[in-house]
Amino acid sequence: ILNVEQSPQSLHVQEGDSTNFTCSFPSSNFYALHWYRWETAKSPEALFVMTLNGDEKKKGRISATLNTKEGYSYLYIKGSQPEDSATYLCALNQAGTALIFGKGTTLSVSS
Amino acid sequence: DGGITQSPKYLFRKEGQNVTLSCEQNLNHDAMYWYRQDPGQGLRLIYYSQIVNDFQKGDIAEGYSVSREKKESFPLTVTSAQKNPTAFYLCASSSRTGMNTGELFFGEGSRLTVL
């Protein structure tokens, strides 16, 4: 079973801080890298699906980058707000397989 | 509204009983998935289906069974052979199949507790 690693496991920031998390994955047979946000008592929701090396995607204050050659992706949150508190999951799509998820990074933002 | 509906939300069962979790989608998606979450673990794939009447085992299929008789429905049965069934179960669907797994849409999950 291949491993998708996320770090840190959890972090706590103050409102207004910027933060970032890492997702590491095996680079062989890469097809796509997904990021999801999972708020408490809700369903996980897709943030980004990234396929190209060097890709950078942005949605509001959240952005993500992708390096398929070295096998990592960063998720950045600029100016964190309490509503950003959630678990952020990354998931790897290798060619011909279903998604494999990391354990997630749980972000807590206090006001 | 389009989406995925899982039921029941909470379920308690005695050890040795089979349990079926329902998952219905009205998104017209071809692919459907079942994941399991345990504390401190990532989502682990149990079974997935890319088309009606076909499904494949995921990483932790032992003790589970599924069926895909209709496009909209992908029920999961947790059998008495599953050694540690207490967990949170998530169903998901995707419009794409094959090499490119499209964005997943998730249900709200079912929490199964075996007493």
Side-chain angles (χ1 to χ4, degrees), chain B residues 40-41 57 61 68 72 103:
Chain B
Q41 301 246 23
K57 291 182 180 180
R68 188 85 188 276
E72 306 80 36
E103 167 189 341

Side-chain angles (χ1 to χ4, degrees), chain B residues 46-101:
Chain B
I46 304 172
Y47 267 99
Y48 65 103
S49 167
Q50 299 193 22
I51 197 168
V52 174
N53 291 324
D54 188 43
F55 47 82
Q56 289 80 40
K57 291 182 180 180
D59 299 321
I60 54 166
E62 186 176 348
Y64 298 98
S65 66
V66 292
S67 62
R68 188 85 188 276
E69 296 176 4
K70 299 185 298 181
K71 189 175 186 178
E72 306 80 36
S73 179
F74 191 41
L76 174 75
T77 297
V78 185
T79 75
S80 56
Q82 168 49 235
K83 291 187 170 61
N84 187 15
T86 294
F88 186 72
Y89 293 88
L90 269 174
C91 179
S93 70
S94 169
S95 61
R96 297 185 196 167
T97 62
M99 283 185 64
N100 183 4
T101 301

Side-chain angles (χ1 to χ4, degrees), chain A:
Chain A
I1 298 176
L2 60 90
N3 261 350
V4 176
E5 302 284 349
Q6 289 190 249
S7 63
Q9 185 176 336
S10 64
L11 76 162
H12 183 101
V13 302
Q14 296 292 315
E15 183 176 357
D17 289 348
S18 293
T19 187
N20 65 85
F21 330 132
T22 303
C23 175
S24 303
F25 51 87
S27 53
S28 58
N29 298 322
F30 176 86
Y31 202 88
L33 194 283
H34 296 216
W35 281 100
Y36 292 84
R37 175 168 57 199
W38 192 359
E39 295 178 67
T40 303
K42 293 188 178 180
S43 311
E45 289 186 340
L47 287 171
F48 307 112
V49 178
M50 309 172 78
T51 56
L52 299 176
N53 184 43
D55 215 359
E56 182 168 343
K57 296 213 171 185
K58 190 173 180 181
K59 185 182 283 190
R61 293 178 291 99
I62 303 177
S63 61
T65 61
L66 177 66
N67 183 323
T68 61
K69 298 204 183 308
E70 296 182 38
Y72 64 84
S73 175
Y74 295 136
L75 187 80
Y76 300 92
I77 302 179
K78 186 177 176 182
S80 302
Q81 299 295 310
E83 57 264 31
D84 295 328
S85 297
T87 296
Y88 292 83
L89 304 173
C90 76
L92 174 67
N93 179 198
Q94 287 187 318
T97 69
L99 285 180
I100 303 296
F101 282 82
K103 293 182 182 180
T105 293
T106 299
L107 172 67
S108 175
V109 182
S110 53
S111 54

